[in-house]
Structures are given as structure tokens and as C-alpha cells.
Amino acid sequence: MQLSLLALVLVTVAEILLLGLLVIFFFRLRRSENVLSQLQANHEKLLARLHFNAELEQELVESFAQRQEELRQLDIRLEQRAADLRRLMEQAEGISRSPQFLREIIMNGRRKGRTVEQLARSTGLSADEVELILGNGSAG
């Protein structure tokens, strides 16, 4: 009977140990499930942030493309304006060197009391040329 009692005690102790291990395993399993749930929640948050960042990046790319197009259009307009200004400058230079324009400048300057030397410096002509124009202007 001793042997059967000893075997019964050993089996009971083994069952208690197994039951203890099962309880420990169960608690660890629950903790692992909680950690896994937290990981899944964090994963979902990360995916949501990644999606938001992707949308934001797409908006930035579209905005950048739009700004590039605006800059390209402004550059075209600026080049057109520069060409127009060059053309106007060439016309102005042509007009400012025309004899009629120089005559008008000299006559207006003389009426304002400027000297022949001052008129010659401002028009780029010699004093003799200015006097010649003044002589022709007063005759005409």
C-alpha cells in the first residue's frame, strides 16, 4: 500500500505541477495576446500615418508641379517683356539720334536758357553742330 500511496502522491504532485505550469502558461498567453493587440493597434496607427504622409507628399508634389508650371509661364512672359523692352530701347535710341529729335531738344534747351556747350554735352554733338542747328532753327 505504501507503494501505491507513494505513486498516488507523485501523480498528484505531478498533476499540481502541471496545473501550475498550465496557469503560468495561460497568464503568459494572455500577456502575449495583450502585447499582440497593442502591436496591431500600433501597426494600424503607423499605417494610418503612412497613408497620411503619402497623401501629404502627393499634395506637395502636385503643388510643386503647379509652382513649376507657374514659374515656367512667368519665365516665358518675362522673356517676352525683355524682348519688348529691347525693341523699345532700340526704337528709343533710333528716335533719340534722329535729326528732328535732336533739333527739338536743342531748340527746347535754348528756350530754357541753356548754353551751346550744355546743349552739345547733353546731345553728344559738337558746339559747331549745335550752333548750326540753332542757326537753321531760327531761320525756319
Side-chain angles (χ1 to χ4, degrees):
M1 203 153 106
Q2 269 302 342
L3 195 55
S4 64
L5 187 61
L6 183 63
L8 184 64
V9 168
L10 285 176
V11 169
T12 304
V13 168
E15 286 178 348
I16 290 174
L17 282 175
L18 284 175
L19 183 62
L21 287 173
L22 185 63
V23 168
I24 291 171
F25 177 75
F26 176 75
F27 282 120
R28 291 193 71 183
L29 181 65
R30 282 191 62 158
R31 192 172 51 153
S32 294
E33 286 177 349
N34 289 338
V35 168
L36 183 62
S37 295
Q38 288 176 348
L39 284 174
Q40 285 177 340
N42 289 341
H43 180 70
E44 289 173 7
K45 288 178 185 177
L46 178 65
L47 286 177
R49 281 192 223 141
L50 286 174
H51 181 68
F52 175 75
N53 287 343
E55 288 177 355
L56 187 61
E57 182 182 355
Q58 182 63 32
E59 288 176 14
L60 286 173
V61 167
E62 289 171 2
S63 176
F64 181 74
Q66 182 183 7
R67 296 294 179 258
Q68 289 290 70
E69 179 61 25
E70 289 174 2
L71 285 174
R72 192 180 66 76
Q73 293 295 327
L74 285 173
D75 187 48
I76 290 170
R77 287 177 34 201
L78 185 62
E79 289 296 325
Q80 289 172 346
R81 292 274 171 98
D84 290 344
L85 286 174
R86 278 192 290 277
R87 184 179 46 80
L88 288 172
M89 290 293 291
E90 289 169 2
Q91 285 178 356
E93 285 177 11
I95 290 172
S96 70
R97 299 299 335 151
S98 74
Q100 182 63 32
F101 184 72
L102 287 174
R103 183 178 178 282
E104 290 287 327
I105 289 174
I106 291 169
M107 298 305 283
N108 286 336
R110 188 58 161 184
R111 281 188 219 115
K112 292 179 182 177
R114 295 181 72 191
T115 66
V116 172
E117 290 78 21
Q118 290 174 330
L119 292 170
R121 266 190 309 241
S122 67
T123 59
L125 299 174
S126 68
D128 292 337
E129 291 172 319
V130 171
E131 288 176 358
L132 181 63
I133 292 172
L134 287 173
N136 288 341
S138 59

